[in-house]
Amino acid sequence: MKKAAFFTILMVCMLLAGCSSGETKTKTDSNSSKEESSTFTYESEQGPVEVPKEPKRIVALTNGPNVISLEGKLVGIDEWTEMNPLFTDKLKDVEVVGDDQLEKIIELDPDLIIAGSQTKNLDKMEEIAPTVAFTWGKLNYIDQQIEIGKLLNKEKEAKEWADDFQERAATIGEKIRKKIGDDATVSVIETGQKELYVFGNNYARGSEILYQAMKLNMPDAVKDNALETGIHVISPEAVGDFTGDYLVLSKNPDVDNSFMETDTWKNIPAVKNGHVIEINSKESTYSDPVTLEHLLKAFEDGFLEK
């Protein structure tokens, strides 16, 4: 009798132990699965990089505006983005950091670093956190946004914006061409310290919107000198040779713009006809959604409300 009771108790203990072991294994498997699913492999220019699906502490040495547009959680940003008035309110409590400030980057404890392919210390950054580098100009402005969307696990949102923006820009472009004429030309020129810059169709300042999305015409002189290189330097005296029927002037408020008081400037047909649309160069040096939406509104008002 006692022997039977002993075996009964032994069997119950073994059964309980088995259940307990099964529960522990299930919990372990569950935790392991959760850890595995918290990252994914992003195919970067340099090769596959294991990155977090939901990065919480991003250091963006490049492409910061693209990250901002997708509400990425930034802890570090480059100085040029920080100085841009369009992003001031979006960068509170975000530290300015450069590629030579490795100690500061370590202190920020990033779980993702975004950089340029020419950024210094890339190999050292890879030891701090998963690092993805992009080559400037390799992707057009739409594909670059979608690529950042893929990296941040927000490809759907990036594509939805891209499709919607291109459709809206094309519609506004049709209205502009109807008003100014299908043959009218448009130039994009920026003021510098002692020179001016003429832009092709892929060098920010709204050039992608005007020439790619809206399909407005470029003057022959701009085609010959800036279309392939993206940018061409000219003197203030030569600005009239590169100005189309309409001029988008990216005006830098920090430089000497007194050339705009000269007869050379005042006698340019686009200036005399009131066909100059001014934008702030500090707000136009990127081609991310925040900047593009800002400039699309500026162009819609500038061309259609005059």
Side-chain angles (χ1 to χ4, degrees), residues 216-273:
L216 300 182
N217 297 315
M218 188 181 290
D220 288 339
V222 178
K223 284 182 186 176
D224 295 340
N225 293 277
L227 183 58
E228 185 174 344
T229 60
I231 185 171
H232 180 65
V233 181
I234 60 172
S235 67
E237 293 74 25
V239 64
D241 298 334
F242 292 86
T243 302
D245 300 307
Y246 289 79
L247 170 62
V248 171
L249 181 67
S250 177
K251 188 176 178 182
N252 188 336
D254 295 336
V255 304
D256 180 7
N257 291 302
S258 59
F259 77 93
M260 296 177 69
E261 302 301 322
T262 65
D263 289 339
T264 299
W265 172 260
K266 293 178 180 178
N267 287 322
I268 294 172
V271 177
K272 291 173 69 174
N273 294 329

Side-chain angles (χ1 to χ4, degrees), residues 111-149:
D111 56 4
L112 177 64
I113 299 173
I114 302 174
S117 59
Q118 301 301 315
T119 298
K120 291 186 294 184
N121 298 314
L122 273 179
D123 55 338
K124 295 176 181 176
M125 290 180 195
E126 290 170 354
E127 297 175 5
I128 300 172
T131 300
V132 173
F134 294 99
T135 299
W136 188 89
K138 184 172 183 177
L139 299 174
N140 66 38
Y141 73 112
I142 292 294
D143 290 341
Q144 182 65 77
Q145 178 64 10
I146 292 173
E147 207 58 36
I148 295 293

Side-chain angles (χ1 to χ4, degrees), residues 33-293:
S33 175
K34 187 179 291 185
E35 288 177 6
E36 289 174 4
S37 65
S38 66
T39 65
F40 74 100
T41 301
Y42 173 77
E43 295 296 336
S44 75
E45 293 178 21
Q46 293 73 31
V49 181
E50 198 71 14
V51 299
K53 280 188 175 179
E54 296 183 7
K56 298 290 194 295
R57 302 184 63 81
I58 304 170
V59 168
L61 301 174
T62 63
N63 298 103
N66 300 92
V67 175
I68 292 170
S69 71
L70 288 167
E71 299 182 348
K73 297 177 181 178
L74 287 164
V75 293
I77 196 72
D78 66 284
E79 62 176 325
W80 302 108
T81 302
E82 192 271 339
M83 289 191 296
N84 189 314
L86 292 181
F87 305 113
T88 302
D89 293 340
K90 304 175 188 296
L91 292 173
K92 292 176 180 177
D93 301 321
V94 177
E95 293 284 331
V96 176
V97 65
D99 56 9
D100 56 350
Q101 296 176 296
L102 292 175
E103 289 186 8
K104 190 171 184 179
I105 293 175
I106 292 172
E107 289 173 4
L108 291 174
D109 190 27
D111 56 4
L112 177 64
I113 299 173
I114 302 174
S117 59
Q118 301 301 315
T119 298
K120 291 186 294 184
N121 298 314
L122 273 179
D123 55 338
K124 295 176 181 176
M125 290 180 195
E126 290 170 354
E127 297 175 5
I128 300 172
T131 300
V132 173
F134 294 99
T135 299
W136 188 89
K138 184 172 183 177
L139 299 174
N140 66 38
Y141 73 112
I142 292 294
D143 290 341
Q144 182 65 77
Q145 178 64 10
I146 292 173
E147 207 58 36
I148 295 293
K150 291 178 183 177
L151 176 59
L152 300 185
N153 200 25
K154 294 186 176 185
E155 183 178 4
K156 179 175 179 289
E157 293 92 322
K159 283 185 174 179
E160 286 176 349
W161 171 82
D163 292 343
D164 178 61
F165 179 81
Q166 290 180 101
E167 183 177 342
R168 285 184 288 118
T171 298
I172 294 171
E174 288 177 11
K175 293 178 181 178
I176 291 173
R177 290 198 305 276
K178 185 175 181 180
K179 179 176 179 181
I180 69 176
D182 286 334
D183 297 327
T185 57
V186 179
S187 299
V188 182
I189 296 176
E190 183 169 279
T191 61
Q193 291 290 350
K194 295 181 179 180
E195 63 284 307
L196 298 173
Y197 306 97
V198 181
F199 298 104
N201 67 356
N202 63 351
Y203 218 89
R205 286 78 177 177
S207 60
E208 293 91 348
I209 301 175
L210 297 167
Y211 299 129
Q212 294 186 43
M214 291 182 173
K215 302 189 184 307
L216 300 182
N217 297 315
M218 188 181 290
D220 288 339
V222 178
K223 284 182 186 176
D224 295 340
N225 293 277
L227 183 58
E228 185 174 344
T229 60
I231 185 171
H232 180 65
V233 181
I234 60 172
S235 67
E237 293 74 25
V239 64
D241 298 334
F242 292 86
T243 302
D245 300 307
Y246 289 79
L247 170 62
V248 171
L249 181 67
S250 177
K251 188 176 178 182
N252 188 336
D254 295 336
V255 304
D256 180 7
N257 291 302
S258 59
F259 77 93
M260 296 177 69
E261 302 301 322
T262 65
D263 289 339
T264 299
W265 172 260
K266 293 178 180 178
N267 287 322
I268 294 172
V271 177
K272 291 173 69 174
N273 294 329
H275 292 171
V276 178
I277 299 166
E278 284 191 17
I279 59 176
N280 186 335
S281 63
K282 290 186 175 182
E283 299 175 344
S284 64
T285 55
Y286 291 107
S287 301
D288 66 285
V290 176
T291 302
L292 292 168
E293 293 288 359

